[in-house]
C-alpha cells in the first residue's frame, strides 16, 4: 500500500498507509472520541477545514450507507485512523470507508499511532497539519505548512447560497444555516414544521417578513467572531420570535448579547460529554463538536443566564435570555452521532412556539 505522511506544524510527523484521495491537503488537526458515527462525523459541515483523528482504533467496520449523511458534500480536509476496515459488515453497507473517501476527494492516513497523536493534541492544543506523499521533503513540507494561514470564511463556504423550503403543515420555522446538519432539519420535519432554510447573512428584516413562528440558529464551523453579520440579525429577532440556537448558534447568541467567546485548547468532539442542567441537576450525555466556547465571566452584567454546564471542564453549555423566549445549547440535541438524551429540546422549542413560557415548559 502507498505510504503517506502527516506532518504537524510543531515538527512531529507520522507515517502510515494512504487511504482515500491521493491529493495533498492542509487543515487543523483535531480528534473525535466517538466510538461510532464516523459517517455522520465526516459529513458534518462543522468540520470544515479540519483533519479528523478518530480515537477509536477501528473505523469503517460497518461501512458507509445512504441514510447517515449530514451533508451531501463533506467539508472535512482529511481523516486519520488507526485501522480502516477493509471488509465492513452491515446490512445497510454500500461502500467501504476507503471507497467513500476516494469518491468524495478526501485524503486519509491509516496505521499510525492515533493514541500518541491524540495525547500530543491534548498537550499542545490543536495544530495545523498536512497530509502528503511519504516521498515529500520533510523540511519543505514543514516550511510550507507553517506559512499557510487557515481559512476564516468557513461559514460562508458551507452555508446555503439561497433560501429553500422543506414543507410541512405545522409551525413555520426559519432555520439560519451556518453549516446545518441534516439531522436538525429531520427533527423539525418529524414535528411537521414548515422549515425555510436561509443563508447565514440573511437579515432580521428578511426573516420577520417571512412571518415565522420561531427561528433556529444552526451549528457551523470556525470562530463565531468571524460571522459578525449574525449578531445584528439576532438582536433584531430576539424578543419578537421564539429563538433556539445550537452549537455555533449558541456562541453567536452570546456574542449578540454582549458576552464573549474563546478558543478551547483542543475542543469538545465526541458523543460522550456529560452536561448538567442547573435548574434540575439532571445530567445528560451529549454529542459535541466545537472548538470555541462562551466565556462564563463575560456573562456578568448581560441579560443571559447559564442553564447548563459541561461536567468535564465546567464550560458553559446552555444559555437563556432573562426576558425573551430565547435559549441555546452548545451541544447537539439531534444527536447524530451520539446519544439522544437531549432530543426533548426540540419538543420544548415547539412548546415555546405554541406560546408557553419557560416556567410552564419546565413545570
Amino acid at each position: 500500500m502507498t505510504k503517506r505522511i502527516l506532518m504537524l506544524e510543531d515538527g512531529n510527523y507520522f507515517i502510515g498507509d494512504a487511504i482515500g484521495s491521493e491529493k495533498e491537503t492542509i487543515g487543523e488537526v483535531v480528534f473525535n472520541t466517538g466510538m461510532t458515527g464516523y459517517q455522520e462525523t465526516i459529513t458534518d459541515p462543522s468540520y470544515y477545514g479540519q483533519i479528523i483523528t478518530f480515537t477509536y482504533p477501528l473505523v469503517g467496520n460497518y461501512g458507509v450507507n445512504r441514510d447517515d449523511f449530514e451533508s451531501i458534500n463533506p467539508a472535512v480536509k482529511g481523516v486519520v485512523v488507526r485501522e480502516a476496515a477493509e471488509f465492513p459488515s452491515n446490512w445497510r453497507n454500500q461502500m467501504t470507508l476507503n471507497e467513500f473517501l476516494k469518491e468524495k476527494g478526501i485524503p486519509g492516513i491509516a496505521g499510525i499511532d492515533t493514541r500518541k497523536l491524540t495525547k500530543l493534541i491534548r498537550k499542545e492544543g490543536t495544530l495545523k497539519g498536512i497530509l502528503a506523499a511519504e516521498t515529500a521533503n520533510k523540511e519543505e513540507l514543514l516550511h510550507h505548512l507553517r506559512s499557510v494561514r487557515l481559512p476564516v470564511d468557513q461559514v460562508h463556504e458551507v452555508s446555503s447560497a439561497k433560501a429553500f423550503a422543506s414543507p410541512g403543515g405545522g409551525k413555520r420555522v426559519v432555520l439560519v444555516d451556518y453549516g446545518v446538519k441534516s439531522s436538525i432539519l429531520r427533527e423539525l420535519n418529524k414535528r411537521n414544521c414548515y422549515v425555510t432554510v436561509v443563508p447565514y447573512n440573511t437579515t432580521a428584516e428578511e426573516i420577520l417578513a417571512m412571518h415565522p413562528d420561531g427561528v433556529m440558529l444552526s451549528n457551523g464551523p470556525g470562530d463565531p467572531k468571524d460571522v459578525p453579520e449574525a449578531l445584528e440579525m439576532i438582536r433584531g429577532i430576539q424578543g419578537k420570535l421564539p429563538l433556539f440556537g445550537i452549537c455555533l448558534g449558541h456562541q453567536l447568541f452570546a456574542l449578540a448579547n454582549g458576552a464573549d467567546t474563546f478558543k478551547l485548547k483542543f475542543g469538545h468532539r465526541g458523543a460522550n460529554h456529560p452536561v448538567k442542567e442547573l435548574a434540575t441537576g439532571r445530567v445528560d450525555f451529549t454529542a459535541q463538536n466545537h472548538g470555541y466556547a462562551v466565556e462564563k465571566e463575560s456573562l456578568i452584567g448581560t441579560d443571559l443566564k447559564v442553564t447548563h454546564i459541561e461536567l468535564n471542564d465546567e464550560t458553559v453549555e446552555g444559555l437563556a435570555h432573562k426576558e425573551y423566549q430565547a435559549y441555546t445549547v452548545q451541544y447537539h440535541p439531534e444527536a447524530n452521532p451520539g446519544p439522544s438524551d437531549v432530543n426533548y429540546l426540540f419538543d420544548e422549542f415547539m412548546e415555546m412556539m405554541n406560546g408557553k413560557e419557560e416556567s410552564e415548559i419546565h413545570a
Side-chain angles (χ1 to χ4, degrees), residues 8-322:
L8 303 177
E9 63 177 307
D10 66 350
N12 280 293
Y13 65 87
F14 299 79
I15 295 176
D17 298 322
I19 58 173
S21 169
E22 297 179 0
K23 71 181 183 183
E24 186 176 291
T25 191
I26 292 177
E28 181 185 33
V29 183
V30 301
F31 65 85
N32 182 290
T33 58
M35 296 176 67
T36 60
Y38 52 82
Q39 181 177 339
E40 295 95 327
T41 298
I42 292 170
T43 58
D44 181 349
S46 293
Y47 280 104
Y48 177 86
Q50 295 178 327
I51 298 173
I52 306 173
T53 302
F54 287 96
T55 63
Y56 191 69
L58 179 60
V59 179
N61 53 313
Y62 52 86
V64 175
N65 64 75
R66 68 176 188 176
D67 300 321
D68 294 336
F69 290 100
E70 291 298 338
S71 64
I72 296 174
N73 296 308
V76 64
K77 288 293 184 181
V79 171
V80 181
V81 300
R82 178 68 184 90
E83 179 182 350
E86 296 182 44
F87 304 101
S89 177
N90 185 277
W91 66 275
R92 295 194 301 159
N93 170 50
Q94 294 178 305
M95 67 179 74
T96 66
L97 175 65
N98 190 24
E99 290 169 339
F100 172 68
L101 294 178
K102 285 182 177 179
E103 181 180 288
K104 295 299 183 180
I106 302 169
I109 186 171
I112 73 165
D113 188 344
T114 51
R115 179 181 174 85
K116 179 180 179 180
L117 175 57
T118 300
K119 291 175 72 174
L120 179 64
I121 296 171
R122 284 183 61 88
K123 180 182 177 182
E124 303 295 334
T126 55
L127 297 163
K128 284 190 296 184
I130 183 170
L131 284 170
E134 184 206 8
T135 54
N137 182 286
K138 294 181 180 61
E139 290 185 4
E140 291 178 1
L141 270 185
L142 184 58
H143 176 73
H144 174 53
L145 175 61
R146 287 175 173 172
S147 68
V148 170
R149 292 188 63 185
L150 295 178
V152 295
D153 61 345
Q154 295 100 317
V155 169
H156 171 77
E157 290 297 318
V158 298
S159 178
S160 303
K162 296 181 179 180
F164 66 91
S166 180
K171 294 295 181 182
R172 302 180 71 87
V173 176
V174 168
L175 174 56
V176 186
D177 180 10
Y178 300 112
V180 67
K181 293 170 63 179
S182 296
S183 292
I184 293 176
L185 188 56
R186 281 197 290 265
E187 288 298 330
L188 293 171
N189 290 154
K190 283 180 187 177
R191 291 158 177 83
N192 199 32
C193 292
Y194 187 107
V195 185
T196 303
V197 181
V198 299
Y200 76 99
N201 54 0
T202 305
T203 66
E205 292 74 19
E206 289 171 329
I207 291 174
L208 292 172
M210 298 177 191
H211 304 289
D213 298 298
V215 175
M216 180 169 284
L217 311 175
S218 85
N219 63 292
D223 186 342
K225 293 176 182 175
D226 291 332
V227 198
E229 303 93 333
L231 307 189
E232 185 177 352
M233 180 275 290
I234 293 170
R235 287 190 284 262
I237 290 295
Q238 62 184 20
K240 299 181 177 70
L241 294 166
L243 184 72
F244 179 28
I246 294 173
C247 199
L248 182 64
H250 159 83
Q251 298 162 15
L252 293 170
F253 176 69
L255 291 175
N257 283 280
D260 198 8
T261 56
F262 68 100
K263 186 171 185 178
L264 294 164
K265 186 175 182 180
F266 47 80
H268 297 163
R269 297 176 180 90
N272 49 9
H273 289 261
V275 170
K276 180 179 180 180
E277 184 178 39
L278 299 181
T280 63
R282 168 178 171 154
V283 176
D284 294 305
F285 283 92
T286 67
Q288 301 203 13
N289 172 20
H290 59 102
Y292 292 81
V294 174
E295 175 61 59
K296 188 183 297 183
E297 298 302 316
S298 72
L299 294 165
I300 298 172
T302 72
D303 290 323
L304 304 180
K305 63 180 180 180
V306 178
T307 58
H308 298 75
I309 60 167
E310 226 266 18
L311 290 183
N312 287 329
D313 58 12
E314 297 191 340
T315 50
V316 177
E317 288 286 333
L319 293 170
H321 200 284
K322 294 176 182 178

